[in-house]
Amino acid sequence: MTISLGRFTEETVEVAQTQLYMLKGGSGRPLLVLHGVEGHEGVLAFHEALAEESTVYAPAHPGYGQTERPAWLESVAHQAVFYHWYLQEAGLQDVDLVGIGVGGWIAAQMAVMCTANLRSLVLVDAAGVHPQQGEIADIFIIPWREVIERSLYDAENCAEALRIYTAAPLQEFGGVREAGRSMSMRLCYRPYMYDPALPAMLGKIRLPTLVVWGAQDQIVPIECGHLYQQAIPGATLRVIERCGHWPHFERPQTLAEVIREFIGA
């Protein structure tokens, strides 16, 4: 079943006997966007901006509500296998892969596994590596409203966040976002938000890679952006000023422009 949402369509596709929820829109080369712990919040201004020059695929991860979790899927590595499976089933090649937060960790894991169907890699404030000096904020022990506030440089004036959380107000327990919070804990809790083997494996990646970070990220410190850039051969790092952990909410046009410039080079 396909539902039209302006430039985007809403559909489900079968992958590994699982119905994967997907938003698709735009035209051009395929670009897969993997969300973070915030979950899938529908069509974003960020998606719209990317769709000006790419065909954007924005799925909801298995276990995050819109897509059921298959019983075997228990880790970030399993998510990476699932999305490679999706690319295989969909026949997508030369894919520009963009991952945000935990989605960046999944994307990095995908690139470590296999780059056959990938064209480029963009990691945005990605989890997955452990800082040597600072700490990753423990989002599982603080109220979700505070997580949102700490994920944004200027939460009171972030139009996208205000739109999203006004349309579907936050609930501390239960509600439409509870499945995603639970799945994030399943994927990321022990060890918390990183894979000790990942930094060494990143050296295997042979893809044009862009690392993007909000200069004021209070969740995953910018140190981790430097660690990704240093570990992936040839990677470049772009820092967005006056921006927190969620550039796709806070600076959607700027982030999309940075990505479009990179993948169009």
PDB file of all heavy atoms in Angstrom, residues 218-236:
ATOM      1  N   GLN A 218      25.746  18.302  22.758  1.00  0.00           N
ATOM      2  CA  GLN A 218      25.853  17.950  24.173  1.00  0.00           C
ATOM      3  C   GLN A 218      25.541  16.475  24.443  1.00  0.00           C
ATOM      4  O   GLN A 218      25.523  16.058  25.604  1.00  0.00           O
ATOM      5  CB  GLN A 218      24.887  18.802  25.002  1.00  0.00           C
ATOM      6  CG  GLN A 218      25.169  20.282  24.979  1.00  0.00           C
ATOM      7  CD  GLN A 218      24.225  21.034  25.895  1.00  0.00           C
ATOM      8  OE1 GLN A 218      24.214  20.832  27.113  1.00  0.00           O
ATOM      9  NE2 GLN A 218      23.388  21.895  25.316  1.00  0.00           N
ATOM     10  N   ILE A 219      25.299  15.712  23.391  1.00  0.00           N
ATOM     11  CA  ILE A 219      25.009  14.284  23.556  1.00  0.00           C
ATOM     12  C   ILE A 219      26.239  13.458  23.203  1.00  0.00           C
ATOM     13  O   ILE A 219      26.775  12.725  24.041  1.00  0.00           O
ATOM     14  CB  ILE A 219      23.799  13.864  22.684  1.00  0.00           C
ATOM     15  CG1 ILE A 219      22.568  14.714  23.020  1.00  0.00           C
ATOM     16  CG2 ILE A 219      23.502  12.380  22.904  1.00  0.00           C
ATOM     17  CD1 ILE A 219      22.059  14.588  24.430  1.00  0.00           C
ATOM     18  N   VAL A 220      26.695  13.572  21.961  1.00  0.00           N
ATOM     19  CA  VAL A 220      27.919  12.884  21.526  1.00  0.00           C
ATOM     20  C   VAL A 220      28.953  13.968  21.223  1.00  0.00           C
ATOM     21  O   VAL A 220      28.796  14.723  20.263  1.00  0.00           O
ATOM     22  CB  VAL A 220      27.668  12.014  20.271  1.00  0.00           C
ATOM     23  CG1 VAL A 220      28.951  11.291  19.873  1.00  0.00           C
ATOM     24  CG2 VAL A 220      26.555  11.003  20.529  1.00  0.00           C
ATOM     25  N   PRO A 221      30.003  14.070  22.025  1.00  0.00           N
ATOM     26  CA  PRO A 221      30.931  15.202  21.892  1.00  0.00           C
ATOM     27  C   PRO A 221      31.622  15.234  20.533  1.00  0.00           C
ATOM     28  O   PRO A 221      31.841  14.190  19.904  1.00  0.00           O
ATOM     29  CB  PRO A 221      31.928  14.985  23.033  1.00  0.00           C
ATOM     30  CG  PRO A 221      31.831  13.533  23.379  1.00  0.00           C
ATOM     31  CD  PRO A 221      30.415  13.144  23.105  1.00  0.00           C
ATOM     32  N   ILE A 222      31.983  16.425  20.103  1.00  0.00           N
ATOM     33  CA  ILE A 222      32.610  16.610  18.800  1.00  0.00           C
ATOM     34  C   ILE A 222      33.930  15.847  18.691  1.00  0.00           C
ATOM     35  O   ILE A 222      34.388  15.537  17.585  1.00  0.00           O
ATOM     36  CB  ILE A 222      32.814  18.112  18.517  1.00  0.00           C
ATOM     37  CG1 ILE A 222      33.104  18.336  17.030  1.00  0.00           C
ATOM     38  CG2 ILE A 222      33.911  18.677  19.408  1.00  0.00           C
ATOM     39  CD1 ILE A 222      33.073  19.796  16.628  1.00  0.00           C
ATOM     40  N   GLU A 223      34.504  15.499  19.819  1.00  0.00           N
ATOM     41  CA  GLU A 223      35.705  14.649  19.812  1.00  0.00           C
ATOM     42  C   GLU A 223      35.461  13.383  19.002  1.00  0.00           C
ATOM     43  O   GLU A 223      36.348  12.909  18.282  1.00  0.00           O
ATOM     44  CB  GLU A 223      36.086  14.291  21.255  1.00  0.00           C
ATOM     45  CG  GLU A 223      37.246  13.317  21.357  1.00  0.00           C
ATOM     46  CD  GLU A 223      37.430  12.769  22.759  1.00  0.00           C
ATOM     47  OE1 GLU A 223      36.735  13.225  23.681  1.00  0.00           O
ATOM     48  OE2 GLU A 223      38.282  11.876  22.922  1.00  0.00           O
ATOM     49  N   CYS A 224      34.235  12.839  19.092  1.00  0.00           N
ATOM     50  CA  CYS A 224      33.918  11.616  18.352  1.00  0.00           C
ATOM     51  C   CYS A 224      33.913  11.867  16.846  1.00  0.00           C
ATOM     52  O   CYS A 224      34.253  10.977  16.054  1.00  0.00           O
ATOM     53  CB  CYS A 224      32.564  11.061  18.800  1.00  0.00           C
ATOM     54  SG  CYS A 224      32.546  10.498  20.513  1.00  0.00           S
ATOM     55  N   GLY A 225      33.535  13.079  16.440  1.00  0.00           N
ATOM     56  CA  GLY A 225      33.621  13.424  15.025  1.00  0.00           C
ATOM     57  C   GLY A 225      35.051  13.383  14.534  1.00  0.00           C
ATOM     58  O   GLY A 225      35.343  12.867  13.441  1.00  0.00           O
ATOM     59  N   HIS A 226      35.972  13.898  15.339  1.00  0.00           N
ATOM     60  CA  HIS A 226      37.392  13.856  14.976  1.00  0.00           C
ATOM     61  C   HIS A 226      37.895  12.417  14.935  1.00  0.00           C
ATOM     62  O   HIS A 226      38.694  12.054  14.052  1.00  0.00           O
ATOM     63  CB  HIS A 226      38.206  14.681  15.965  1.00  0.00           C
ATOM     64  CG  HIS A 226      37.988  16.159  15.847  1.00  0.00           C
ATOM     65  ND1 HIS A 226      38.536  16.916  14.831  1.00  0.00           N
ATOM     66  CD2 HIS A 226      37.262  17.024  16.606  1.00  0.00           C
ATOM     67  CE1 HIS A 226      38.170  18.176  14.976  1.00  0.00           C
ATOM     68  NE2 HIS A 226      37.398  18.275  16.039  1.00  0.00           N
ATOM     69  N   LEU A 227      37.437  11.589  15.866  1.00  0.00           N
ATOM     70  CA  LEU A 227      37.864  10.184  15.877  1.00  0.00           C
ATOM     71  C   LEU A 227      37.391   9.454  14.621  1.00  0.00           C
ATOM     72  O   LEU A 227      38.138   8.671  14.020  1.00  0.00           O
ATOM     73  CB  LEU A 227      37.334   9.488  17.134  1.00  0.00           C
ATOM     74  CG  LEU A 227      37.938   9.952  18.461  1.00  0.00           C
ATOM     75  CD1 LEU A 227      37.214   9.304  19.642  1.00  0.00           C
ATOM     76  CD2 LEU A 227      39.423   9.630  18.506  1.00  0.00           C
ATOM     77  N   TYR A 228      36.137   9.706  14.195  1.00  0.00           N
ATOM     78  CA  TYR A 228      35.656   9.112  12.949  1.00  0.00           C
ATOM     79  C   TYR A 228      36.490   9.598  11.766  1.00  0.00           C
ATOM     80  O   TYR A 228      36.899   8.811  10.903  1.00  0.00           O
ATOM     81  CB  TYR A 228      34.185   9.471  12.725  1.00  0.00           C
ATOM     82  CG  TYR A 228      33.196   8.452  13.226  1.00  0.00           C
ATOM     83  CD1 TYR A 228      32.323   8.754  14.274  1.00  0.00           C
ATOM     84  CD2 TYR A 228      33.103   7.186  12.648  1.00  0.00           C
ATOM     85  CE1 TYR A 228      31.399   7.823  14.734  1.00  0.00           C
ATOM     86  CE2 TYR A 228      32.188   6.258  13.099  1.00  0.00           C
ATOM     87  CZ  TYR A 228      31.335   6.570  14.134  1.00  0.00           C
ATOM     88  OH  TYR A 228      30.424   5.642  14.587  1.00  0.00           O
ATOM     89  N   GLN A 229      36.730  10.898  11.709  1.00  0.00           N
ATOM     90  CA  GLN A 229      37.474  11.471  10.586  1.00  0.00           C
ATOM     91  C   GLN A 229      38.892  10.885  10.520  1.00  0.00           C
ATOM     92  O   GLN A 229      39.404  10.597   9.428  1.00  0.00           O
ATOM     93  CB  GLN A 229      37.520  12.994  10.743  1.00  0.00           C
ATOM     94  CG  GLN A 229      38.158  13.728   9.572  1.00  0.00           C
ATOM     95  CD  GLN A 229      39.650  13.930   9.747  1.00  0.00           C
ATOM     96  OE1 GLN A 229      40.125  14.115  10.861  1.00  0.00           O
ATOM     97  NE2 GLN A 229      40.389  13.904   8.653  1.00  0.00           N
ATOM     98  N   GLN A 230      39.510  10.684  11.665  1.00  0.00           N
ATOM     99  CA  GLN A 230      40.869  10.153  11.690  1.00  0.00           C
ATOM    100  C   GLN A 230      40.910   8.668  11.355  1.00  0.00           C
ATOM    101  O   GLN A 230      41.907   8.181  10.789  1.00  0.00           O
ATOM    102  CB  GLN A 230      41.481  10.401  13.077  1.00  0.00           C
ATOM    103  CG  GLN A 230      41.729  11.860  13.393  1.00  0.00           C
ATOM    104  CD  GLN A 230      41.903  12.131  14.876  1.00  0.00           C
ATOM    105  OE1 GLN A 230      42.040  11.203  15.689  1.00  0.00           O
ATOM    106  NE2 GLN A 230      41.872  13.398  15.255  1.00  0.00           N
ATOM    107  N   ALA A 231      39.848   7.942  11.668  1.00  0.00           N
ATOM    108  CA  ALA A 231      39.856   6.486  11.497  1.00  0.00           C
ATOM    109  C   ALA A 231      39.490   6.038  10.077  1.00  0.00           C
ATOM    110  O   ALA A 231      39.925   4.974   9.633  1.00  0.00           O
ATOM    111  CB  ALA A 231      38.897   5.837  12.489  1.00  0.00           C
ATOM    112  N   ILE A 232      38.686   6.833   9.366  1.00  0.00           N
ATOM    113  CA  ILE A 232      38.230   6.449   8.023  1.00  0.00           C
ATOM    114  C   ILE A 232      39.149   7.089   6.986  1.00  0.00           C
ATOM    115  O   ILE A 232      39.255   8.326   6.929  1.00  0.00           O
ATOM    116  CB  ILE A 232      36.775   6.889   7.790  1.00  0.00           C
ATOM    117  CG1 ILE A 232      35.854   6.224   8.811  1.00  0.00           C
ATOM    118  CG2 ILE A 232      36.331   6.551   6.367  1.00  0.00           C
ATOM    119  CD1 ILE A 232      34.412   6.713   8.757  1.00  0.00           C
ATOM    120  N   PRO A 233      39.831   6.302   6.182  1.00  0.00           N
ATOM    121  CA  PRO A 233      40.780   6.861   5.212  1.00  0.00           C
ATOM    122  C   PRO A 233      40.129   7.910   4.301  1.00  0.00           C
ATOM    123  O   PRO A 233      39.096   7.657   3.689  1.00  0.00           O
ATOM    124  CB  PRO A 233      41.217   5.633   4.405  1.00  0.00           C
ATOM    125  CG  PRO A 233      41.030   4.477   5.346  1.00  0.00           C
ATOM    126  CD  PRO A 233      39.806   4.823   6.145  1.00  0.00           C
ATOM    127  N   GLY A 234      40.737   9.085   4.244  1.00  0.00           N
ATOM    128  CA  GLY A 234      40.280  10.132   3.344  1.00  0.00           C
ATOM    129  C   GLY A 234      39.052  10.898   3.792  1.00  0.00           C
ATOM    130  O   GLY A 234      38.573  11.774   3.062  1.00  0.00           O
ATOM    131  N   ALA A 235      38.521  10.610   4.976  1.00  0.00           N
ATOM    132  CA  ALA A 235      37.305  11.276   5.438  1.00  0.00           C
ATOM    133  C   ALA A 235      37.573  12.753   5.730  1.00  0.00           C
ATOM    134  O   ALA A 235      38.677  13.140   6.115  1.00  0.00           O
ATOM    135  CB  ALA A 235      36.763  10.596   6.689  1.00  0.00           C
ATOM    136  N   THR A 236      36.526  13.557   5.537  1.00  0.00           N
ATOM    137  CA  THR A 236      36.603  14.973   5.878  1.00  0.00           C
ATOM    138  C   THR A 236      35.566  15.287   6.954  1.00  0.00           C
ATOM    139  O   THR A 236      34.540  14.609   7.050  1.00  0.00           O
ATOM    140  CB  THR A 236      36.358  15.869   4.655  1.00  0.00           C
ATOM    141  OG1 THR A 236      35.079  15.548   4.092  1.00  0.00           O
ATOM    142  CG2 THR A 236      37.429  15.665   3.613  1.00  0.00           C
TER     143      THR A 236
END
